[in-house]
Amino acid sequence: MSSAPSQDTLPEATGSAPEHSMKSKDMRRILASSFIGSAIEYYDFMLYATAASLVFNKVFFANLGPGFALFASFVTLAVGYVARPLGGLIFGHFGDRLGRKKMLVLSMLIMGFGTTMIGLLPTTAQIGIAAPLALVVLRLVQGVAVGGEWGGAALMAIEHAPKKHRGFAAAFANAGGPAGAILGTLALSLFAALSGDDFLVWGWRVPFLLSAALIAVGMIIRLKVSETPAFQKLEAEGAKRRVPLLDVLKNNRRAVVLGLLATTAFYVCQSMTTVWGVSVAVENGADKNGVLNIKAFAALLTLIICFYSARLSDRVGRRRVLIGASLLGAVLAYPILLLIDNGELWAFALAIVLGNGLVQGFLYGPIAAYVAEQFPTRNRYTGASLAYQGASMVGAGFTPMIVAGLSLAAGGGLWLIAIFWIATMLAAVVAVKLTPEGTQRELD
């Protein structure tokens, strides 16, 4: 199969949009906006993931047995991931029609509202079934918001950056994910140290309410950045454009499917270690605060490796880095599962460093540039968001439920879970092999 992109996949470049130097004041502001904005939104989104593992099964589903309560809590977690492709489509449509910057500002406002309201939500003991129903609605709001966030933040960095630094620039948007996870995990860990029932009564709410202050900071930064050169050029040309989604479905279906499969790998790593793994480790006897602190450290390692692997992908290509990391994930899958199931804090620490820090970190760094480079400017926000957020729904939203079900089916054994994890890694290898290298492509 030829690796050369079709005319529909990538239009011929008639010239390059002006590029910012990576050291210019404008570029530093753009990268800061992508990183800090994503960190704040993912603080909100991943805070929910940690709370779903440790809090919501006791606060909103306490009337169910422990196993089913945790399963129900993971179902509400999945709802946010199901909503992410919808958010990607909505924000992608308007981002491709009206510009990247406006959508970034709107997504942040919506996320702040949803997260703050979760912090104020009464429990099931107080208002009955209305509580978990409201929790699901607010999780949907979070999902729509973060579904629009990634595409805008990644494209803001990529479309401003010089071609030879696009992977590194895009990593600033992706690195906001682990940075937000660090903030959210440490915030919840701080209040988890409360004595007695205070954590479950009110302590867990404080990190959610802090979102309002973080959103205000993010808005100040985001309002100062300029629209991307690639989109400005598209606007200046004034060419008639079809509905972005229809354009993607007609001309870029293959890129969406392969991008989704490739991206699913790192989301599965994330869910296996930082959501399902946290719950299993605590249930098997590992100290809760220790687990949360280790999770925060692993997120820091993910962030560091994310930048390193992004720079590496600028030099050797996205495909080589992604294929190598996926194969490493397949090899380490079963050993990591054994470590998570051990119940000792040291074993969980090693598991999450390998799975979350190393494998996910190498997958995470190049993925934003890899996906974005498969689409032309006219539908890049929509196409990239559809691939990336579709993967988040499949890989992150459904994985905790799937793994919980596989564990029940195997009588608590790990072999079915290992097969599932290895299969996702090998599917990513095949998908990346079938896509062209994008490091030398012109984006405009």
Side-chain angles (χ1 to χ4, degrees):
M1 181 178 294
S2 173
S3 63
S6 68
Q7 180 67 26
D8 283 333
T9 303
L10 274 176
E12 290 293 328
T14 57
S16 297
E19 292 180 335
H20 290 282
S21 163
M22 289 295 286
K23 296 182 180 180
S24 71
K25 181 179 180 181
D26 284 344
M27 196 66 211
R28 289 198 299 268
R29 182 185 295 120
I30 289 159
L31 296 181
S33 169
S34 292
F35 176 77
I36 295 173
S38 291
I40 292 170
E41 292 220 33
Y42 277 91
Y43 164 87
D44 292 353
F45 198 74
M46 296 308 295
L47 179 63
Y48 189 105
T50 306
S53 299
L54 302 176
V55 177
F56 292 158
N57 56 322
K58 301 178 179 66
V59 172
F60 295 107
F61 304 102
N63 55 328
L64 303 176
F68 286 102
L70 184 63
F71 182 81
S73 183
F74 284 159
V75 169
T76 69
L77 174 68
V79 165
Y81 287 99
V82 170
R84 284 175 69 162
L86 176 62
L89 287 177
I90 294 171
F91 282 87
H93 173 85
F94 290 103
D96 283 328
R97 303 284 290 189
L98 303 177
R100 300 13 176 157
K101 178 181 175 178
K102 294 174 183 177
M103 296 304 104
L104 280 175
V105 171
L106 182 59
S107 70
M108 181 167 282
L109 287 174
I110 293 174
M111 177 62 86
F113 167 79
T115 306
T116 302
M117 292 305 296
I118 290 174
L120 297 172
L121 188 63
T123 66
T124 302
Q126 294 171 318
I127 62 172
I129 196 172
L133 291 177
L135 183 68
V136 169
V137 171
L138 292 172
R139 183 58 175 172
L140 280 169
V141 170
Q142 280 193 321
V144 169
V146 83
E149 157 68 24
W150 176 85
L155 297 193
M156 187 65 72
I158 292 170
E159 292 181 350
H160 274 103
K163 179 166 52 177
K164 64 181 180 179
H165 295 300
R166 285 200 304 245
F168 182 64
F172 279 83
N174 266 8
I182 292 169
L183 290 175
T185 302
L186 290 178
L188 206 61
S189 176
L190 175 65
F191 287 93
L194 292 170
S195 60
D197 295 329
D198 287 345
F199 175 62
L200 291 179
V201 173
W202 62 268
W204 69 269
R205 298 180 181 275
V206 179
F208 284 87
L209 297 177
L210 287 174
S211 171
L214 295 176
I215 293 295
V217 174
M219 289 294 295
I220 293 171
I221 297 171
R222 285 225 155 137
L223 288 170
K224 293 182 178 181
V225 300
S226 59
E227 186 54 79
T228 72
F231 185 81
Q232 288 176 347
K233 182 179 179 182
L234 190 68
E235 286 283 275
E237 290 172 349
K240 185 177 180 180
R241 286 175 277 157
R242 68 177 72 224
V243 176
L245 177 59
L246 297 180
D247 192 12
V248 169
L249 293 178
K250 179 181 179 181
N251 298 316
N252 304 102
R253 292 189 302 271
R254 183 173 180 272
V256 170
V257 173
L258 295 178
L260 186 153
L261 289 173
T263 307
T264 297
F266 93 80
Y267 272 121
V268 168
C269 284
Q270 173 184 293
S271 293
M272 293 293 293
T273 54
T274 65
V275 181
W276 177 80
V278 165
S279 176
V280 170
V282 171
E283 286 183 0
N284 288 352
D287 177 68
K288 179 172 61 178
N289 284 343
V291 164
L292 290 175
N293 290 333
I294 290 168
K295 178 184 173 183
F297 170 78
L300 177 61
L301 182 60
T302 304
L303 188 150
I304 294 169
I305 293 179
C306 170
F307 281 115
Y308 172 77
S309 63
R311 274 198 180 279
L312 184 64
S313 78
D314 281 330
R315 296 197 300 270
V316 305
R318 324 281 184 231
R319 296 170 77 241
R320 288 184 179 179
V321 177
L322 290 171
I323 289 172
S326 298
L327 290 174
L328 178 64
V331 171
L332 292 178
Y334 191 65
I336 290 172
L337 289 175
L338 291 174
L339 290 168
I340 289 173
D341 197 51
N342 179 277
E344 296 288 341
L345 203 57
W346 68 266
F348 175 77
L350 183 55
I352 202 169
V353 164
L354 292 174
N356 183 226
L358 190 64
V359 177
Q360 185 188 335
F362 272 98
L363 289 169
Y364 206 28
I367 201 69
Y370 162 80
V371 173
E373 286 166 347
Q374 306 303 315
F375 299 91
T377 302
R378 67 179 186 270
N379 64 30
R380 185 172 296 127
Y381 202 142
T382 301
S385 294
L386 191 58
Y388 192 91
Q389 303 303 349
S392 77
M393 177 181 70
V394 175
F398 293 157
T399 291
M401 287 192 306
I402 291 172
V403 171
L406 291 175
S407 178
L408 291 172
L414 300 174
W415 63 276
L416 283 177
I417 300 173
I419 291 173
F420 166 73
W421 195 348
I422 292 169
T424 62
M425 297 295 108
L426 297 181
V429 171
V430 174
V432 174
K433 275 186 167 294
L434 292 176
T435 49
E437 180 60 59
T439 52
Q440 298 305 313
R441 290 180 168 186
E442 299 292 343
L443 292 185
D444 57 346

